[in-house]
Amino acid sequence: MGCFMYSMNAQASPSGQPPPAGSDVYRDLMTYMAWMSDGIPTGERLPGALYPKVPKPEGGYDLERGRVVYQQNCALCHGSDGQGTRNGAGDVRFPPLWGPQSYNWGAGMARINTAASFIKANMPFGKPYSLSDQDAWDVAAYLNSHERPKDPRQTGTVAEAAEAFHAGEDSFYGKTLNGHLLGTGAELSPQ
């Protein structure tokens, strides 16, 4: 349910909710995962599984360098505005990285260190490990310096949610950038 709520942002779905506990969707996903792992010894880590932790550069990260890395390496697939791209049928080809249709503030990818590690090991598409550690951190910070949907756990203020759910994270949640308090949530436009 966590993947539906945070990474897939159930708030952006027509129902606004993940499938209920006990739904056939979860059984089907588990069956698919078991089928995909057929013949794999239990507990064995396969090449390419997960991704490494990328150490934070000594000088930290820089949003302007991240913007340049994004435009040079990411915009072709994810759009110059970070809103992703769709195929001719309207299906998501490459997902939005910020804005109302992206993952929300509760997703692991909203943490800069998690995004940097994923980016380093997987991006640009088809060219994993082609970005330096610095580039991965810079572009991860740039992506996560934009507003996205609210953290679904937030019931009070951004400050309260920052303390309860985001304390100690390498994240922009609850911080003010360019005069905007991040975490207030990017809203979907009425259809």
Side-chain angles (χ1 to χ4, degrees), residues 5-136:
M5 285 300 297
Y6 307 114
S7 299
M8 295 175 67
N9 194 26
Q11 294 173 350
S13 76
S15 71
Q17 298 294 320
S23 167
D24 289 347
V25 169
Y26 300 113
R27 181 206 58 220
D28 295 347
L29 287 168
M30 294 300 293
T31 302
Y32 177 70
M33 286 186 263
W35 176 79
M36 290 289 295
S37 65
D38 189 41
I40 306 298
T42 301
E44 184 175 320
R45 185 166 179 184
L46 302 176
L50 303 174
Y51 41 89
K53 289 186 188 313
V54 177
K56 188 173 186 177
E58 259 186 54
Y61 42 78
D62 181 273
L63 297 179
E64 179 55 26
R65 283 192 316 246
R67 184 191 66 74
V68 171
V69 172
Y70 181 84
Q71 290 304 321
Q72 293 173 345
N73 295 279
C74 314
L76 178 66
C77 295
H78 295 284
S80 61
D81 61 357
Q83 299 310 293
T85 56
R86 296 181 178 273
N87 66 17
D91 299 321
V92 172
R93 190 161 174 237
F94 295 98
L97 299 175
W98 64 81
Q101 295 288 338
S102 71
Y103 53 90
N104 62 49
W105 282 109
M109 287 294 284
R111 293 189 303 268
I112 299 166
N113 58 316
T114 301
S117 294
F118 177 83
I119 290 164
K120 175 75 177 182
N122 295 284
M123 296 289 136
F125 185 66
K127 295 177 13 181
Y129 295 99
S130 62
L131 295 177
S132 69
D133 291 358
Q134 182 71 62
D135 286 347

